[in-house]
Amino acid sequence: MRQNDVFILSIESSCDDTAAAVLHNDKVLSNVVANQSIHNEYGGVVPELASRAHQQNIVPVIDTALKRANIDRSQLSCIAFTQGPGLMGSLLVGSSFAKSLALALEVPLIAINHMQAHILAHFIDEEGFDKPRFPFLALTISGGHTQIVRVDSYFDMEIIGETTDDAVGEAFDKSAKILGLPYPGGPLVDKYAQQGNPMAFRFTKPKVPGLNFSFSGLKTAILYFIQKNKAKNPNFVEENRDDICASIQHTIIEILMDKMKTAVLQTGITQVAIGGGVSANSGIRKAMKDAERDLGWKTFVPKFEYTTDNAAMIGIAGYHKFLDGSFEDASVVSKARIEF
Ligand code: KG4
Ligand code: ZN
């Protein structure tokens, strides 16, 4: 096998999206995601339902990924899968499938850390998207994590700041719930925020030392603010929805950017990348562009389809592990929690 002809099938099943992708080296040939709408009516992800839906989706999703890539499974060089972090029942569906397939095809099996993959998505070869150079800082913002990571090489990463309570995605989703919006509320807050005035309402920002974050106080402040105003005017939320969303989003983005400014000052690293579901947010994407202009940073914002959970990011991480010869045997275990 020539190293310039690596075909990777990657599988992501850590939470509520069943995803598969095929890469040729660092280029994405197909990227398929099946979202699980079943959780919407419960206001959050129900682990048991997620793993059952993964079992139903995984075969058709992988078949579709191979078909769209026009690749036969006999051409595959390796299988990469998400080892963790995530929901155990969900992770097991992807890892069992990856193990069986790697065994049947007699190709290497590669285990990937989901949070590292969110960062490595920046190394997918895409027209119009530059790749960061090492070292750089990454702000990983998702439904389960909020981390500032110093990235020294593909797999040499150090968490230098993280949330002490809620993740930023949870802050968006829980605020949305308080406003009566369905789960996951993050994208809806973003949508309404774009029509609202970010200065309409003020929420106090938490005072957390160093590079760590806290979002639970903000959630409580929003809850009390809404309750107080609804007591005076029952239609307060309906009449002010866009301004409330814009103000919440503005506060969250300010919290994130304040910490990134401190991280840049502390490390002297001015290349900054964002990744994870919340990097789809229009406010943080604009803040990154503004930082390029106003602060002289070089910023990296992922292509939209690589922001929320996807398998292409698992594939690019798998490609670099393939080049390193970093393989696993079938005894590798899924991990709900996993360090870098
Ligand atoms: O990375 P991801 O798809 O899954 C996890 O690994 O958690 O992130 C999902 C999170 C959810 O909290 C969702 O509300 C949030 O990302 N999210 C957004 C936006 N799109 C997704 N939050 C704010 N604005 C968005 N446009
Ligand atoms: Zn994620």
Side-chain angles (χ1 to χ4, degrees), residues 21-318:
V22 178
L23 275 73
H24 177 207
N25 300 335
D26 58 356
K27 280 198 164 53
V28 176
L29 301 182
S30 64
N31 187 32
V32 180
V33 184
N35 304 114
Q36 301 179 0
S37 53
I38 182 125
H39 307 285
N40 298 6
E41 60 192 282
Y42 296 94
V45 177
V46 184
E48 285 307 313
L49 295 179
S51 83
R52 197 177 313 157
H54 281 306
Q55 287 173 37
Q56 285 163 353
N57 292 342
I58 194 152
V59 173
V61 164
I62 290 176
D63 266 351
T64 309
L66 287 166
K67 276 201 194 95
R68 284 193 193 158
N70 203 16
I71 291 290
D72 186 80
R73 56 191 64 182
S74 62
Q75 291 171 269
L76 294 172
S77 320
C78 60
I79 313 289
F81 72 97
T82 305
Q83 184 183 17
L87 301 170
M88 193 46 113
S90 292
L91 290 166
L92 283 172
V93 178
S95 68
S96 316
F97 201 93
K99 284 179 190 179
S100 323
L101 198 56
L103 223 58
L105 298 175
E106 296 180 1
V107 294
L109 176 68
I110 298 175
I112 300 297
N113 177 318
H114 179 95
M115 295 314 293
Q116 286 192 338
H118 269 305
I119 296 171
L120 296 176
H122 288 282
F123 292 94
I124 294 172
D125 187 34
E126 282 284 347
E127 217 181 304
F129 288 82
D130 291 342
K131 296 176 185 171
R133 274 176 293 108
F134 302 114
F136 65 93
L137 296 177
L139 174 66
T140 49
I141 37 181
S142 72
H145 294 83
T146 307
Q147 297 172 332
I148 303 176
V149 183
R150 183 194 158 105
V151 188
D152 282 296
S153 72
Y154 292 113
F155 298 103
D156 182 5
M157 303 187 187
E158 185 195 353
I159 299 168
I160 57 173
E162 63 190 327
T163 183
T164 52
D165 42 54
D166 290 352
V168 62
E170 277 179 284
F172 271 105
D173 295 340
K174 288 178 178 173
S175 307
K177 199 171 176 182
I178 296 170
L179 302 180
L181 301 173
Y183 178 86
L188 287 171
V189 172
D190 187 4
K191 183 176 148 201
Y192 299 136
Q194 292 178 47
Q195 309 155 26
N197 172 10
M199 301 300 169
F201 306 106
R202 285 256 164 231
F203 300 104
T204 344
K205 290 188 282 178
K207 290 185 180 61
V208 188
L211 297 177
N212 286 339
F213 298 94
S214 166
F215 288 101
S216 70
L218 177 65
K219 172 191 65 192
T220 313
I222 293 167
L223 178 66
Y224 289 160
F225 168 80
I226 297 295
Q227 282 175 345
K228 194 180 78 192
N229 281 286
K230 265 176 124 174
K232 287 188 260 171
N233 169 11
N235 296 326
F236 177 74
V237 171
E238 290 71 21
E239 287 168 10
N240 297 280
R241 185 195 61 192
D242 296 351
D243 287 349
I244 300 169
C245 288
S247 303
I248 292 172
Q249 181 161 307
H250 177 76
T251 310
I252 292 176
I253 304 303
E254 261 192 1
I255 295 170
L256 295 174
M257 291 307 288
D258 284 352
K259 291 289 175 175
M260 287 318 287
K261 284 177 198 162
T262 311
V264 166
L265 280 177
Q266 278 186 13
T267 60
I269 299 171
T270 54
Q271 286 193 94
V272 180
I274 54 169
V278 181
S279 66
N281 183 269
S282 62
I284 188 76
R285 294 170 89 86
K286 180 176 180 301
M288 282 285 127
K289 282 276 150 284
D290 291 350
E292 238 175 32
R293 189 194 56 212
D294 303 337
L295 305 171
W297 300 356
K298 171 91 180 125
T299 62
F300 301 87
V301 174
K303 193 176 175 192
F304 200 78
E305 66 175 299
Y306 307 138
T307 53
T308 46
D309 288 350
N310 66 89
M313 67 182 196
I314 305 301
I316 189 68

